Amino acid sequence: MADPGPEVYIDEDTGVDDTTADGTEQHPFKTLLFAHIQCPPEGKVSYHTRKSETAPVGEGQDRKEWKPATASALKKVGKLYEQHKKKLAKGDELAIREKEEQAKRQQVLQEAVKVKITEDPSLPRAFKIRLDEKDAKLVKLRSGESKKDVDYTEGRGSRVRVCGRVHRMRDQKDVIFVTLRDGYGLMQCVLTGDLTKAYDAKTLTLETSMEICGEMWQVPPKQHAPDDRELHADYYEIIGKAAGDKEAITTRVNPKADPQTLYDNRHLVLRGDNSSKVMKVRSALLRAFRQTYETGITPSCLEVTPPCMVQTQVEGGATLFEFSYYGQKAYLTQSSQLYLETCLPSLGNVFCVAPSFRAEKSLTRRHLSEYTHIEAELDFISFDDLLVHLELVMSEVVRLALADPKIAQMVTELNPDFKVPERPFMRMKYADAITWLNEHDILNEDGKPHEFGDDIAEAAERKMTDIINRPIFLTHFPVEIKAFYMQKDPQDSRVTESVDCLMPGVGEIVGGSMRMNDYDELMAGYKREGIDPKPYYWYTDQRK
């Protein structure tokens, strides 16, 4: 009589699919598939199943008897079991293949260690250039002959030496293409022969610092490289090898990583194309601001450097970063504008480029704990003069920045939809904006129609600006929602001569106002905001 084979039990209610079960009546599995995996059907296994009459199982619950698994259930699970076996086989095959590839790589690396690279002493001395240096006399024609007008002076020959970090690389048969970056430019370098067989080449990682010597050539027809040239290397040295595997930069700062991971690794994110472009465009804008304030428009302004540690508030006490200044209470500045006013009598119009700090713990784009603040103070102007000045500054800064073809290209790459703001900017009073928002059914933060006195929220501002789709000078805000030093409108004492500039797709980018020049009115402003005027003696003195 044939051996009936082992018996395996499956209880859908009380069984478990883990190592605590062994398929006996006392410790049954939960599913038929898990039973197949643990006790394969190839051994003529008998599978028995049961479940309660009604679920869930309770105390004293009647139990069905153990019954052989049905043919339909076995057929269904059989297909799933075959898929499971194929998956395991594929995994085993992959593991074997990876092991073989690892063994081959180890053998290649062992051979690579034996390859030694030395600089040929018979070659001309290589002189160092930056990666953005584009002297045409350094680039050889594809015919192999130097250009006829080559005039190497000061001992500079056609052989050059470049230093940079590996930005990109690709291995193509017996050739390795390495693109270096040094912060100024990019250069594709071509490694051939023993240069590709050495251990350093076989283990090359992104962000590795290298020094490469060779001659620059035009790239072949229909091929592309930065500045249409490539360095044919005859020697290189590794200055500093970057980490690989789990510590590789592509692993640490994967573009698809969550924002918090990227924030924590900003020092590495800055090495990426987009972040470096942002920093270069930012630098160009700062240069443009300085040029605009100093010489680009009338009236010109003088740059000054006000303090960052202060004992007064400017934009409300709730957003002050407080610290101890030799035992006295002090703050990081929210704005330098009050200090700039002290310079006007002796220096005339002034501006500053300085950090400002706001203690608003929020993750919106309008809330930064620290940012670069560009501020100016102008003497003897009207409110309309202020609006014209702001419009001229913004337009001129954009014009100067985009006058640099490199910066213009970066702006296009970062923001393909960017458009230069068209003048004149639209003028809209706060009261008219409230009416406009209600006419367009745009509600306030409480879900109600806007009322005079509301501080218009960013979302509402954005909707309005995007619908109108042009730069807007939003002016004449109520006294209660603006700073204590802002001048009231002579025609309407409910509002101030103040302005926010709103840009489509961006929101508020500039704010400004006229300043109170009357002593009594300023003292009333301190009182209205509950501010002790004593620490502001130096500011109040300007009114005397």
Side-chain angles (χ1 to χ4, degrees):
M1 186 173 180
D3 185 355
E7 294 185 339
V8 178
Y9 295 87
I10 300 98
D11 190 317
E12 295 180 10
D13 297 316
T14 63
V16 291
D17 285 347
D18 60 31
T19 55
T20 61
D22 57 10
T24 61
E25 287 188 62
Q26 294 75 25
H27 304 288
F29 297 124
K30 185 177 183 63
T31 64
L32 190 55
L33 176 58
F34 193 78
H36 273 58
I37 294 172
Q38 297 300 310
C39 305
E42 290 83 357
K44 297 181 180 180
V45 180
S46 297
Y47 299 100
H48 300 278
T49 65
R50 76 173 181 183
K51 60 182 178 181
S52 10
E53 293 285 357
T54 58
V57 178
E59 187 175 352
Q61 177 72 55
D62 292 335
R63 306 284 294 153
K64 282 186 175 180
E65 297 296 325
W66 292 108
K67 293 183 179 179
T70 63
S72 61
L74 289 171
K75 183 178 179 181
K76 182 178 180 181
V77 171
K79 292 180 180 179
L80 296 175
Y81 177 62
E82 290 300 319
Q83 292 176 5
H84 172 76
K85 288 199 301 181
K86 288 180 181 178
K87 187 176 180 180
L88 286 180
K90 190 174 182 180
D92 292 341
E93 182 182 344
L94 183 61
I96 293 172
R97 191 183 309 155
E98 288 180 350
K99 188 174 182 180
E100 291 176 348
E101 289 178 356
Q102 185 66 21
K104 288 181 181 178
R105 177 162 177 77
Q106 289 300 323
Q107 185 177 356
V108 169
L109 292 179
Q110 289 174 6
E111 293 297 320
V113 172
K114 301 175 184 177
V115 179
K116 302 299 179 183
I117 298 176
T118 57
E119 188 170 8
D120 186 347
S122 66
L123 292 174
R125 182 177 65 87
F127 63 91
K128 186 177 180 180
I129 64 169
R130 284 194 339 191
L131 300 186
D132 63 337
E133 193 167 334
K134 297 185 178 68
D135 188 347
K137 298 174 183 179
L138 300 178
V139 183
K140 287 195 162 188
L141 299 174
R142 293 306 300 174
S143 64
E145 297 179 358
S146 298
K147 295 184 178 181
K148 294 180 180 179
D149 60 348
V150 172
D151 180 20
Y152 301 115
T153 59
E154 299 178 2
R156 289 159 63 107
S158 62
R159 188 166 176 263
V160 298
R161 175 166 55 95
V162 297
C163 295
R165 296 171 181 84
V166 178
H167 186 54
R168 289 188 296 268
M169 60 182 180
R170 60 187 172 92
D171 198 335
Q172 184 176 312
K173 292 185 179 179
D174 297 326
V175 180
I176 297 178
F177 294 90
V178 176
T179 300
L180 294 186
R181 181 194 72 240
D182 66 353
Y184 303 101
L186 300 171
M187 183 178 293
Q188 178 171 287
C189 304
V190 184
L191 310 184
T192 57
D194 284 349
L195 297 181
T196 68
K197 300 175 184 177
Y199 182 84
D200 284 334
K202 297 296 184 183
T203 58
L204 194 60
T205 52
L206 293 179
E207 293 303 316
T208 288
S209 298
M210 298 183 69
E211 177 183 273
I212 303 180
C213 299
E215 291 186 327
M216 283 193 293
W217 289 68
Q218 291 178 336
V219 295
K222 299 183 180 181
Q223 300 296 317
H224 300 283
D227 299 318
D228 293 322
R229 59 181 181 166
E230 56 189 15
L231 184 73
H232 286 236
D234 56 54
Y235 177 72
Y236 67 80
E237 288 184 11
I238 300 296
I239 299 172
K241 183 166 289 187
D245 298 326
K246 294 181 180 180
E247 286 294 307
I249 189 168
T250 50
T251 303
R252 293 280 300 278
V253 291
N254 190 304
K256 296 181 180 180
D258 67 275
Q260 192 59 52
T261 297
L262 298 180
Y263 295 153
D264 292 340
N265 289 280
R266 183 66 71 192
H267 60 294
L268 299 179
V269 172
L270 283 173
R271 299 187 179 211
D273 287 335
N274 279 358
S275 294
S276 62
K277 288 174 186 175
V278 168
M279 297 300 287
K280 290 175 181 177
V281 171
R282 186 180 188 277
S283 176
L285 287 172
L286 290 176
R287 286 196 302 272
F289 267 110
R290 286 190 164 96
Q291 186 175 345
T292 298
Y293 276 125
E294 292 171 353
T295 61
I297 59 173
T298 301
S300 61
C301 302
L302 180 73
E303 183 171 6
V304 295
T305 52
C308 289
M309 297 184 293
V310 299
Q311 291 187 295
T312 54
Q313 69 181 53
V314 179
E315 299 293 341
T319 64
L320 286 167
F321 277 110
E322 183 180 324
F323 65 96
S324 175
Y325 184 76
Y326 303 111
Q328 296 186 46
K329 186 182 291 186
Y331 313 99
L332 297 177
T333 185
Q334 299 164 316
S335 168
S336 299
Q337 58 200 35
L338 303 189
Y339 285 93
L340 292 181
E341 283 190 45
T342 67
C343 300
L344 291 177
S346 60
L347 302 178
N349 300 321
V350 292
F351 78 99
C352 71
V353 179
S356 283
F357 306 85
R358 304 284 171 90
E360 297 178 273
K361 194 173 183 180
S362 177
L363 291 178
T364 73
R365 67 170 112 191
R366 293 185 65 171
H367 297 85
L368 296 174
S369 297
E370 177 183 358
Y371 60 96
T372 300
H373 208 165
I374 300 173
E375 301 181 275
E377 290 292 323
L378 308 183
D379 211 357
F380 303 115
I381 63 169
S382 67
F383 184 57
D384 190 59
D385 292 336
L386 172 62
L387 300 184
V388 172
H389 174 81
L390 291 174
E391 189 175 296
L392 285 172
V393 167
M394 286 183 276
S395 300
E396 182 68 3
V397 165
V398 172
R399 185 192 71 80
L400 287 172
L402 297 182
D404 184 335
K406 283 186 176 181
I407 298 301
Q409 182 179 349
M410 290 179 192
V411 169
T412 300
E413 290 169 351
L414 290 168
N415 184 3
D417 298 326
F418 175 78
K419 294 180 181 179
V420 176
E422 293 185 6
R423 298 172 54 199
F425 295 178
M426 180 179 180
R427 269 74 164 165
M428 177 186 284
K429 289 188 176 182
Y430 165 89
D432 296 330
I434 293 294
T435 301
W436 190 98
L437 290 168
N438 289 333
E439 289 176 349
H440 289 78
D441 297 321
I442 298 175
L443 304 178
N444 64 17
E445 289 184 302
D446 297 324
K448 299 178 181 179
H450 283 84
E451 296 181 356
F452 188 92
D454 285 350
D455 193 354
I456 302 174
E458 178 189 13
E461 267 187 2
R462 233 172 227 292
K463 287 181 181 178
M464 179 178 71
T465 310
D466 289 345
I467 291 172
I468 295 174
N469 197 31
R470 59 181 292 196
I472 302 172
F473 277 138
L474 191 58
T475 67
H476 297 87
F477 291 87
V479 171
E480 290 74 19
I481 63 175
K482 284 298 179 180
F484 69 90
Y485 50 79
M486 292 189 179
Q487 178 70 42
K488 294 179 181 178
D489 182 0
Q491 308 301 321
D492 185 353
S493 61
R494 300 178 307 158
V495 299
T496 55
E497 289 186 317
S498 54
V499 58
D500 286 347
C501 183
L502 312 178
M503 285 286 175
V506 179
E508 180 187 347
I509 61 169
V510 172
S513 75
M514 302 297 286
R515 308 290 191 240
M516 291 178 179
N517 51 40
D518 182 79
Y519 176 87
D520 293 331
E521 191 173 6
L522 180 59
M523 297 303 291
Y526 289 135
K527 185 175 181 180
R528 183 185 73 242
E529 298 298 328
I531 296 174
D532 180 3
K534 291 181 181 178
Y536 293 84
Y537 72 92
W538 53 271
Y539 185 69
T540 308
D541 272 355
Q542 307 301 315
R543 275 68 191 167
K544 297 179 181 179

